[in-house]
Amino acid sequence: MSLAEIQTRIAAAEAEHGRPKGQVQLIAVSKVQPNARVEQVLEQGHKVFGENRVQEAAGKWPAFRARFNAIDLHLLGPLQTNKARQAVELFDTIHSLDRPKLASTLARLAQESGRCPDLFVQINTGKEAQKAGIMPEDADAFIDSCRDLDLPVQGVMCIPPVDETPALHFALLAKIAQRNGLSSLSMGMSADFEMAIGFGATHVRVGSAIFGARSPAK
Ligand SMILES: *Cc1c(COP(=O)(O)O)cnc(C)c1O
């Protein structure tokens, strides 16, 4: 499916759910995609991209940034504390703030450098043992502690369990954002971004629907 088709579907979902036009940001998830494919999307003028791994992003985005201006790069995958400094230098937004240790590390780096990417707190809405994220019942206290550290938390993010309908997870995430006064909701992927927009998503993360199926991770 083309970038234009996805943008059309996003606009239609905004209209259908009474959302202001252009409120939903499309993050084109370029992880594991060949550079030539990513370049095609850059050449169509798209600026907002998502990556899962710091190392992979460091290998490809500095060169793209040198050729295309105003790129807006989002980290979506788990961030190890020892890669936090590199992530802060590389990314405009981090969607995977998922534990106190990472919050304190980011706060220290922000103090040192005077800047910090925008942050989303990842919530483990399905309470899955193998998945990262703050448990829903701990979300309010964790968001408070991030604010105490002066971290620029813009919103919350979730990755619903693969074997459940995502609707309940989107609704729960929206509720957590609302009661914490957060305006941004990072939810919805290739299979369910229109539904996520219905529940208030402001950032949808779409990979395979734009770029085609990913070859298995190397
Ligand atoms: C890979 C990934 C996506 C995109 O998934 P698709 O199903 O290809 O759209 C979105 N969010 C996160 C966190 C991802 O890791």
Side-chain angles (χ1 to χ4, degrees):
M1 211 168 288
S2 70
L3 176 70
E5 280 175 277
I6 300 295
Q7 282 163 335
T8 302
R9 284 171 58 187
I10 288 173
E14 285 175 338
E16 184 188 338
H17 298 287
R19 305 277 310 275
K21 195 169 152 52
Q23 196 188 46
V24 177
Q25 272 213 25
L26 170 60
I27 302 172
V29 183
S30 50
K31 66 181 181 201
V32 204
Q33 299 289 349
N35 279 351
R37 276 229 189 89
V38 180
E39 206 164 314
Q40 284 172 358
V41 174
L42 281 161
E43 269 158 8
Q44 292 170 66
H46 194 72
K47 299 292 184 190
V48 189
F49 291 83
E51 288 284 342
N52 247 29
R53 292 160 182 258
V54 176
Q55 223 52 45
E56 185 186 340
K60 65 201 222 203
W61 285 98
F64 282 141
R65 281 198 197 267
R67 290 175 51 209
F68 298 89
N69 60 22
I71 284 172
D72 184 8
L73 195 59
H74 294 240
L75 177 64
L76 309 176
L79 177 55
Q80 292 170 264
T81 313
N82 65 6
K83 299 239 171 72
R85 181 182 299 275
Q86 199 181 5
V88 164
E89 285 162 7
L90 202 55
F91 291 96
D92 302 288
T93 303
I94 294 172
H95 291 239
S96 48
L97 172 50
D98 61 1
R99 59 195 191 280
K101 179 87 197 303
L102 182 58
S104 56
T105 301
L106 290 171
R108 180 171 49 76
L109 292 170
Q111 275 211 324
E112 280 174 31
S113 67
R115 64 171 293 279
C116 187
D118 286 340
L119 300 173
F120 284 75
V121 172
Q122 183 172 350
I123 310 290
N124 189 350
T125 57
K127 300 190 173 202
E128 294 172 280
Q130 81 284 8
K131 207 167 264 176
I134 301 289
M135 291 297 163
E137 63 271 24
D138 300 330
D140 300 6
F142 182 74
I143 291 164
D144 281 348
S145 72
C146 292
R147 286 176 165 150
D148 289 343
L149 290 168
D150 283 332
L151 288 173
V153 175
Q154 310 292 327
V156 282
M157 175 269 217
C158 75
I159 308 171
V162 286
D163 54 354
E164 285 179 33
T165 165
L168 291 176
H169 300 274
F170 294 158
L172 173 59
L173 196 71
K175 209 162 123 188
I176 290 170
Q178 201 209 5
R179 70 173 184 244
N180 285 283
L182 292 169
S183 56
S184 296
L185 280 174
S186 169
M187 59 190 195
M189 312 198 287
S190 289
D192 54 24
F193 66 89
E194 285 143 319
M195 182 195 281
I197 290 170
F199 282 94
T202 58
H203 294 69
V204 294
R205 312 179 307 260
V206 181
S208 43
I210 296 174
F211 294 102
R214 287 178 288 274
S215 46
K218 282 162 274 184

